[in-house]
Amino acid sequence: MSDKVIIKADLRVLTGLHIGGLEEYAAIGAVKSPVIRDKRTNYPIIPGSSLKGKIRTLLARSMETTGVVYSSPNKDPEILLRMFGTSEKPIRRSRLQFADAFLKNREEFLHLSDVTEVKAENRIDRVTAKATPRSIERVVSGALFEVCIVYNDEDDGHRDEELELLAKGMKLLQIDYLGGHGTRGSGRVSFENIRIDTLNLETDLSKIKKLFMEVEKYELLSI
């Protein structure tokens, strides 16, 4: 009988976070690269697809010994195909479900008009030294998003190694970045307040909890 392991955590933004929305039109003077927002509340969100894709990519890079990372996730190592799924035959559904992460500490920013900031940058042409200004919208440092990841245990003996790899991916994310413009300082995040639960009351969670508690200690910045 399959079981589900539910991993919940607070994702704290340590430096401005940019996950872009649609850029179909930008009026003169408007931000050309806005963040993605929840239509209902108009607050920024972190799409589950962004979190899933980044963790999968970081794990694929960490497991590649030749220095070449395949452009197609369908060529990932077998364990990643099991965990994250594949769209090529034989098609496999993902054992991991990443929910969209919503802002949970809006009240801490009531003194601000929004929980985002506009960061101005200049692109410098190497040849002409001409500066081209641009602006991006970022979620401000200190924002908290509630992450929820559900792991479907297929009861085939792979649960421990797959959850261990997921924990590794969360560690890798904390020493890398989420979203865009990460090489210029954006997107540093950390996981806090990790909680583990399961639908099967008889499941021993002690080993799993210890595994994910280590994730909280694995951060690049402490702010």
Side-chain angles (χ1 to χ4, degrees), residues 16-118:
L17 172 68
H18 175 82
I19 297 180
L22 295 176
E23 301 178 33
E24 295 179 352
Y25 172 76
I28 296 176
V31 177
K32 293 184 178 180
S33 189
V35 299
I36 190 168
R37 294 175 180 266
D38 176 23
K39 283 290 186 180
R40 182 176 64 87
T41 63
N42 202 39
Y43 295 151
I45 65 171
I46 298 176
S49 57
S50 296
L51 195 58
K52 178 182 179 182
K54 182 66 178 190
I55 289 178
R56 180 174 188 164
T57 296
L58 290 172
L59 287 173
R61 289 176 180 171
S62 72
M63 298 172 71
E64 181 53 58
T65 58
T66 65
V68 177
V69 177
Y70 290 116
S71 58
S72 172
N74 296 307
K75 297 180 180 179
D76 280 345
E78 172 66 21
I79 189 171
L80 294 186
L81 296 179
R82 288 199 309 264
M83 293 170 62
F84 294 92
T86 172
S87 60
E88 289 185 358
K89 293 182 179 180
I91 296 174
R92 308 187 195 187
R93 70 181 179 90
S94 174
R95 296 189 178 189
L96 292 169
Q97 303 169 28
F98 289 76
D100 290 346
F102 295 89
L103 186 70
K104 65 176 296 183
N105 65 334
R106 176 67 182 92
E107 67 282 354
E108 294 184 24
F109 302 94
L110 293 179
H111 62 291
L112 302 176
S113 59
D114 199 355
V115 293
T116 63
E117 62 188 2
V118 177

Side-chain angles (χ1 to χ4, degrees), residues 180-205:
H181 309 277
T183 59
R184 297 191 292 277
S186 297
R188 308 296 177 177
V189 300
S190 68
F191 290 104
E192 304 175 356
N193 189 26
I194 298 178
R195 293 92 68 197
I196 308 296
D197 202 357
T198 181
L199 296 182
N200 187 350
L201 298 179
E202 297 180 358
T203 301
D204 182 4
L205 294 177

Side-chain angles (χ1 to χ4, degrees), residues 97-173:
Q97 303 169 28
F98 289 76
D100 290 346
F102 295 89
L103 186 70
K104 65 176 296 183
N105 65 334
R106 176 67 182 92
E107 67 282 354
E108 294 184 24
F109 302 94
L110 293 179
H111 62 291
L112 302 176
S113 59
D114 199 355
V115 293
T116 63
E117 62 188 2
V118 177
K119 183 174 184 288
E121 297 181 344
N122 278 312
R123 178 181 179 276
I124 308 297
D125 188 291
R126 285 189 174 188
V127 177
T128 65
K130 180 182 177 181
T132 302
R134 60 186 176 190
S135 58
I136 63 170
E137 185 180 26
R138 308 193 307 176
V139 179
V140 298
S141 171
L144 277 181
F145 290 86
E146 186 163 12
V147 170
C148 180
I149 306 170
V150 177
Y151 169 77
N152 189 57
D153 182 3
E154 299 290 353
D155 196 24
D156 57 1
H158 292 299
R159 187 195 69 182
D160 290 350
E161 64 173 337
E162 290 174 354
L163 288 178
E164 183 176 355
L165 198 60
L166 173 61
K168 178 182 177 180
M170 294 170 70
K171 291 178 181 179
L172 289 174
L173 180 59

